[in-house]
Amino acid sequence: MDTAPPPGLRERKKQRTREALLRAALDLFTGRGYEQTTVDDITEAVEVSQRTFFRYFAGKEDAAFAVQEMAEAHFVVSVAARPPAEAPMEALRNALLDDWDRLSEAIEAVVPVELYVRMYRTIESTPALLAAHLRRSAETEERIARVLAEREGLDLDTDPRPRLAVAVFGGVIRVTERQWSTGEDFSPRAIRELTARYLDQVGVALTGHWRLPADPA
């Protein structure tokens, strides 16, 4: 049971400022273009100083990927918390789908889904952002692979399955996001159904248990 006290007035004000900067940044990136938007443009839209912006973001790239980073951090924690009895691919699938509603609500509390979709398209069409996206995704996949290896008692440096499973899973998610962002239904329900359907098509080679049977006593 979560007994943490609610954030105080100061913390709520800081959170509102960060979210206002984030929404302004994404609006400008998607409307004007990432390269054409400056930090000054973002701070002027919110009527705060550059110093305030850099209190929350290291730079424009951090703002561009803030929502994605939040979602990925949530997912890594969810994978680590899955029951040990779940097979690796099952743990990845359930970590995503079981917490879908809670994660969707957290994202929508910060930015509208429509803006999230527009930002995804901007990332895909902006070389600098696409390169950053691929780099950040690779770093996240490595963290998840380490979580799987620890769950299964494997050496990540000698057993390729954790990285392979995460690469396959990540590929499914990228295909799903691309299909969703170019469709007509941008609801969280639509992408959840699409994700579940695509994950169900992953072959059996990675879907079972990987642990070696225990030695007989």
Side-chain angles (χ1 to χ4, degrees):
M1 179 176 176
D2 187 1
T3 58
L9 178 61
R10 180 180 176 83
E11 288 304 312
R12 293 199 302 271
K13 183 177 179 181
K14 288 167 63 176
Q15 184 64 24
R16 285 196 297 269
T17 300
R18 184 182 187 278
E19 290 175 1
L21 284 165
L22 177 56
R23 286 192 296 271
L26 299 191
D27 271 326
L28 287 165
F29 294 157
T30 58
R32 182 180 299 180
Y34 177 76
E35 302 290 359
Q36 290 72 36
T37 299
T38 66
V39 170
D40 281 338
D41 294 330
I42 299 168
T43 57
E44 286 172 10
V46 184
E47 298 183 338
V48 297
S49 66
Q50 266 202 13
R51 182 178 179 182
T52 298
F53 176 88
F54 288 113
R55 192 177 298 149
Y56 299 102
F57 304 103
K60 289 197 307 178
E61 183 182 305
D62 272 9
F65 290 99
V67 178
Q68 175 182 313
E69 185 176 271
M70 178 183 72
E72 290 175 347
H74 180 98
F75 179 64
V76 172
V77 171
S78 296
V79 173
R82 295 308 304 177
E86 291 183 346
M89 289 298 288
E90 181 185 9
L92 292 175
R93 186 184 193 280
N94 291 343
L96 182 65
L97 298 181
D98 286 2
D99 284 349
W100 190 278
D101 290 342
R102 184 169 56 178
L103 178 57
S104 296
E105 289 171 3
I107 291 174
E108 289 185 72
V110 179
V111 298
V113 172
E114 180 269 339
L115 180 54
Y116 181 84
V117 174
R118 282 196 287 128
M119 191 61 211
Y120 178 82
R121 291 172 175 168
T122 299
I123 290 171
E124 289 282 303
S125 62
T126 306
L129 287 178
L130 183 57
H133 174 57
L134 295 174
R135 184 191 75 244
R136 286 167 174 260
S137 295
E139 292 169 353
T140 299
E141 289 181 1
E142 183 69 9
R143 291 201 300 273
I144 298 169
R146 292 195 177 280
V147 170
L148 290 186
E150 290 173 6
R151 280 173 51 90
E152 297 297 301
L154 304 178
D155 183 348
L156 187 61
D157 293 327
T158 59
D159 195 316
R161 287 176 295 179
R163 288 192 177 104
L164 180 58
V166 173
V168 170
F169 186 86
V172 172
I173 299 305
R174 283 189 286 275
V175 170
T176 300
E177 288 178 335
R178 190 168 293 116
Q179 289 291 104
W180 177 66
S181 70
T182 57
E184 297 180 354
D185 187 349
F186 298 145
S187 68
R189 176 192 54 78
I191 189 173
R192 187 189 188 284
E193 291 177 356
L194 196 62
T195 301
R197 188 163 71 247
Y198 283 12
L199 286 174
D200 287 343
Q201 297 179 39
V202 175
V204 298
L206 293 172
T207 56
H209 283 283
W210 301 343
R211 298 173 192 152
L212 294 174
D215 291 332

